[in-house]
Structure formats: structure tokens, C-alpha cells
Amino acid sequence: MPARPPKRSLATQRWAVLRRLFGKGTPARTGHCAHAQTIRDYFRHKAHAQGYTLSHSQQRVIDSMAQQASLLLGASRQTPPSLYLYGAVGRGKSWLLDGFFQALPIEQKRRLHFHQFFAQLHQGMFSHRHLDDALGATLDALLEDCRVLCFDEFHVHDIGDAMLITRLFKALFKRGILLLVTSNYAPEGLLPNPLYHARFKPVIDLINARMQVMEVGGPHDYRSQARNHAHQLFTQGHYVWPATPAQRQRLNLPPQDAPPLALPVGTRHFQARLCAERRVGFTFSDLCEQPSAVMDYLELCRRFDQWIIDDLPELGTCSIAAQQRFINLIDVLYDQDKHLTLLGRLPLRESLGGDAIDLARTRSRLGQLQEVHGAP
């Protein structure tokens, strides 16, 4: 009678399971290790080419992404835990997300700004409103056979959106989609309005249960560094102040008293100050003091590549609603990589006061514009 193998302790059994999960077991897992190494090598070369030194927290995220690639691309095709990256602006969250997306050698992946996806989700659910499962039908159309979905700049400020996000996340996890999310907020900091925060708690619990939550920190704001922006159209834009007639003439910009033009956007008409081929101009008031929305900005981005926004006020004097629309507008222009010329009366830093929650991200992004100052 053959001898029984020695009984292993519970801790030993758990360690063996973990080693198999993350590809640290037998040589049979070499394929898994190769997938992980592909991710690590990609980031190492990308950081070296851009002159970056990876922070400790960035390296931890890369190691986690490498483990995810091992599980996702292995023979068992497991869906690893999803990933939620949060931290202050400019700490490399989007850089990490983009790198993983580019390095992952599969076609069934999507990378979207959360604003953009949510606008498409609303439109799709309206189109499928006659169906019992409008959300499911919309996700079928938007994602098809997607296995990896990357959301950049995830945030929640509206209770109506929060309720839909609850359903969305449950549906994505049920489909076995690997979800990667970046945000300026830890999960507990989402929807901070105390009137609604408790109603969003189920989503926070779901994120903490189904996603690996990791902070991306470090002392440097990488967006403030001028290098490596040559390929990015947004960062070639300008902030012009105090926007004198001479500056406007020199830069071929509309005069301050340019008459309004009616510009159709969907079923509505917006007031523009310039509309010529792929170039469009508005005042701050035209877009941000009116009931405009992210879907409007996305539609305008589809039609125009060069944007002029005139008469930027001191944001702190504007309503929170106007501040939030401006934040959303800059998010869309940045993510769609449109050339922006912004005009104001004061230095940029003095114009960007205010109490809206996401203004730090807007300051960081607009800080990449080239400032043009002329004599008043």
C-alpha cells in the first residue's frame, strides 16, 4: 500500500494556491511569467525613454498589472481582480493606465474617458428604453466582446449618475470584464456630498470587494514637466492674457466684441463667436453659464479640432454649476486632445480660484498651456 503524502498545514495550502495564481509555481507557468515580464519590460522602457524614475507606488502598480496579465492571458483565462488607482493630480495614474492598455497584447480591450463612456451609456439606454434590459443591450452594443475596460478620471458628483453607476459596475463584474479605473479620489471620497454619500455606499463597498485599491503617490506632478508633450496637441495651446486687441490681431483671434453665431448641436443651438472649418470659438459664458453638458462638448469635439474660449472670468466669482461645466469642458478637450486657446484678463493662476471639487485637476491641465502675456 503506497504511503500517504504528509498532511500540509492550512497556511502551506494557501501559499501553494497563491503561488499557482500568480505564476510563481512550477516551470509549467513560464508562459504566465512571460506575460508578466512583457508588462514590466514595457514600463521600464517607456520610463527610460521619457526620462522618468518610477516611484515606489508606481512600481507596485506595475507589479500588480503584471500579475493581472499573467492570469488574463494564461491557459485558464481567469479574470483577475479589477484595479482602482487613486491619487493626487499628475502622479502618473493615466500614464500607468495607458501603458497597461498599450502593452496588453489582445484586441478585446477598450480605453475610455469616463465622461465619454457615460455619455454613450445614457444615449444607448435612451435608444433601448423599450427593452426590459436597456443597460444590458447598451453594453452589448458598446463593448461587444471586450475583456478589459479602462476608465480614466472616474468621479461621481450627481446622485442620478451614482444610481446608474451602481448598476453599471454590477453588470461589468457579472460579465467577467477586467476593469481598470483611475480617480483623484479614494473610493470613500466618491460622491462626497453628505446628503447623498450614504446612498452611494453600496458602490463603494462593491469597489472595495471586487477591485484592488491602490494609491499612486509621489512628490512630483509629472504634468508640470514640459518634456514629452511634443506629441500632445492640447499642450501646444495657449493661455493669452490680458487679451488685448494687439494680442488678438497677432494671434489671429476673434475680437472681444465678435457678434454671436447660431451653431446647431444636436437638437439645440449654441451661441458661438467663430465657426470656420475645424475651428470654433466661444466665450466662457456661451458654454459654461448655459445648461450645456458633456455630450454637447463631445459632439463639438467630433466637429472641431481647434478651440478658442474667450473671456475667462475669475472662477471663484462664478456659480458652482458654471465651475463644474468648465471643469467638464477642459476634461473633454484634454482627453480628446484638442488645441485650445484660452483668453482671460488675469494671470491663469489668479483666474482659477473656486470651490468646485475637481478644480485641482483643471489647474494641473491648464498649467500645461503656454502662457502668452502682453502689455495691457
Side-chain angles (χ1 to χ4, degrees), residues 113-123 152-153 155 157-158 161 265 268 270 287-288 290-302 307 321 323-333 335-336 358 361:
H113 191 285
F114 190 69
H115 273 316
Q116 180 183 6
F117 180 81
F118 216 61
Q120 293 172 348
L121 189 68
H122 275 293
Q123 289 176 326
D152 200 15
E153 303 291 3
H155 56 268
H157 300 308
D158 179 87
D161 287 348
V265 181
R268 303 167 56 202
F270 279 66
L287 286 179
C288 301
Q290 309 301 321
S292 58
V294 167
M295 286 185 282
D296 300 320
Y297 311 148
L298 288 168
E299 170 60 20
L300 287 165
C301 280
R302 190 181 65 80
W307 284 61
Q323 293 178 36
Q324 190 61 55
R325 290 188 194 105
F326 184 67
I327 290 167
N328 294 345
L329 173 62
I330 298 305
D331 280 346
V332 170
L333 293 178
D335 194 65
Q336 299 292 314
D358 289 312
R361 181 174 70 248

Side-chain angles (χ1 to χ4, degrees), residues 174-241:
K174 187 176 180 181
R175 288 168 178 250
I177 291 174
L178 172 61
L179 184 61
L180 290 93
V181 170
T182 72
S183 178
N184 292 341
Y185 308 98
E188 290 72 16
L190 294 167
L191 195 63
N193 188 324
L195 294 174
Y196 306 127
H197 185 76
R199 294 169 63 186
F200 194 61
K201 187 71 164 51
V203 185
I204 295 172
D205 293 341
L206 185 65
I207 289 172
N208 284 323
R210 300 294 300 268
M211 305 183 78
Q212 185 178 5
V213 179
M214 304 184 76
E215 182 175 9
V216 183
H220 303 297
D221 181 347
Y222 292 99
R223 288 181 188 160
S224 67
Q225 300 177 7
R227 64 189 176 193
N228 302 314
H229 289 320
H231 66 288
Q232 193 174 356
L233 198 59
F234 183 91
T235 60
Q236 297 173 33
H238 300 88
Y239 176 69
V240 181
W241 71 281

Side-chain angles (χ1 to χ4, degrees), residues 18-81:
L18 287 172
R19 288 174 65 86
R20 287 197 300 274
L21 267 178
F22 294 114
K24 296 178 180 176
T26 63
R29 314 296 280 184
T30 343
H32 285 213
C33 293
H35 293 311
Q37 196 59 43
T38 297
I39 301 297
R40 292 190 178 97
D41 288 346
Y42 179 89
F43 278 110
R44 187 174 65 253
H45 294 146
K46 185 177 183 181
H48 177 75
Q50 296 180 344
Y52 290 159
T53 299
L54 295 171
S55 69
H56 176 67
S57 62
Q58 288 172 331
Q59 190 59 62
R60 284 179 56 244
V61 170
I62 291 168
D63 288 340
S64 178
M65 288 175 165
Q67 293 172 352
Q68 287 179 316
S70 284
L71 291 174
L72 190 72
L73 303 175
S76 61
R77 291 171 63 92
Q78 298 180 57
T79 301

Side-chain angles (χ1 to χ4, degrees), residues 247-304:
Q247 285 180 303
R248 293 170 183 271
Q249 186 174 13
R250 187 166 64 249
L251 297 170
N252 190 27
L253 300 172
Q256 189 170 14
D257 57 354
L261 307 166
L263 179 63
V265 181
T267 58
R268 303 167 56 202
H269 279 79
F270 279 66
Q271 188 168 276
R273 307 295 161 150
L274 171 72
C275 183
E277 297 180 343
R278 303 288 294 180
R279 195 166 177 241
V280 70
F282 301 94
T283 66
F284 175 91
S285 178
D286 291 336
L287 286 179
C288 301
E289 298 285 2
Q290 309 301 321
S292 58
V294 167
M295 286 185 282
D296 300 320
Y297 311 148
L298 288 168
E299 170 60 20
L300 287 165
C301 280
R302 190 181 65 80
R303 294 159 57 184
F304 301 103

Side-chain angles (χ1 to χ4, degrees), residues 132-144:
D132 291 337
D133 186 8
L135 175 60
T138 302
L139 291 178
D140 287 341
L142 289 178
L143 300 180
E144 296 177 337

